[in-house]
Amino acid sequence: MRGYFGMGVEGISKSRNVGAIYRTAHAFGASFVFSVQAALSVHELKQTDTSGTAGSLPFYEFDTVGTMLLPKSCALVGIEITDDAVELPSFHHPKIAAYVLGPERGGLSEEMVARCDHIVKIPTKFSLNVGLAGALVMYDRLQSTGNFARRPVMPGGPTEPQPEKVPSFGPPLWVRKERKRQAAAAKAAESES
């Protein structure tokens, strides 16, 4: 899938939860991670992130929702339990998105909810650990946008091979130019004969 995504948290107070999201975001191929109004300890963050994510994935800290910056055309998706939220299995993930989760014992602020383009909830009986909720959202994005073999009707692994990843935009420009050069050379050789 083309596009990219980022993961963020608002108002979180447990650095280890942010570290877990940070590490998981790295594993799932996120492009960036961010926090808004979070009380973080860099030491605790690094203890949880055992994959050395800091060297591979940027981490942005914002003091308020108003100062939060996202890339142009990046949809903000809030993960929150509300009556009007779309359930995660029914949600079509934007190609370019940033997902934001609320604190451990609360939810996203009204200001953050107002800024979101979409609100999504994980269909559970009660709230989950923020690190686990983030992992579920990233897995769902990968599963719904990835190029995987279809699930079989019976229990077990896929019976069909994984579809080939064929570019829909054709061969690279250098290949097209080389083909044109070869065709022109063949035509010139033919006209000389």
Side-chain angles (χ1 to χ4, degrees):
M1 174 185 177
R2 291 183 175 197
Y4 58 85
F5 76 98
M7 288 300 294
V9 294
E10 180 195 22
I12 202 160
S13 62
K14 295 181 180 175
S15 299
R16 292 179 190 262
N17 282 339
V18 177
I21 290 173
Y22 197 27
R23 182 178 192 275
T24 306
H26 183 209
F28 276 107
S31 297
F32 61 94
V33 178
F34 65 97
S35 68
V36 179
Q37 295 176 329
L40 299 175
S41 159
V42 176
H43 176 70
E44 285 183 14
L45 186 80
K46 287 180 179 178
Q47 284 181 330
T48 308
D49 172 30
T50 57
S51 67
T53 301
S56 303
L57 193 65
F59 183 79
Y60 302 102
E61 294 181 76
F62 302 104
D63 294 329
T64 65
V65 175
T67 60
M68 180 179 70
L69 298 172
L70 293 175
K72 187 176 181 178
S73 303
C74 184
L76 184 60
V77 181
I79 310 303
E80 185 62 83
I81 300 172
T82 64
D83 292 336
D84 59 343
V86 176
E87 290 190 334
L88 184 60
S90 300
F91 181 65
H92 182 88
H93 294 267
K95 182 169 68 170
I96 299 171
Y99 301 88
V100 63
L101 299 111
E104 300 85 352
R105 294 181 182 228
L108 295 173
S109 68
E110 288 181 23
E111 188 180 6
M112 183 65 80
V113 169
R115 183 140 179 213
C116 288
D117 298 295
H118 308 279
I119 301 294
V120 175
K121 66 181 170 185
I122 299 168
T124 57
K125 293 181 181 180
F126 46 83
S127 181
L128 299 173
N129 168 277
V130 69
L132 179 57
L136 289 172
V137 168
M138 288 182 270
Y139 174 80
D140 187 76
R141 179 182 173 89
L142 176 70
Q143 191 276 328
S144 66
T145 60
N147 192 23
F148 300 100
R150 292 186 329 158
R151 291 182 192 251
V153 176
M154 302 299 289
T159 56
E160 299 176 14
Q162 181 174 344
E164 287 187 38
K165 295 180 182 181
V166 179
S168 60
F169 47 86
L173 182 60
W174 69 270
V175 171
R176 294 190 303 249
K177 286 182 177 180
E178 181 61 28
R179 287 179 185 166
K180 283 182 182 179
R181 281 192 284 272
Q182 289 174 355
K187 190 174 183 179
E190 187 178 291
S191 62
E192 289 178 7
S193 312

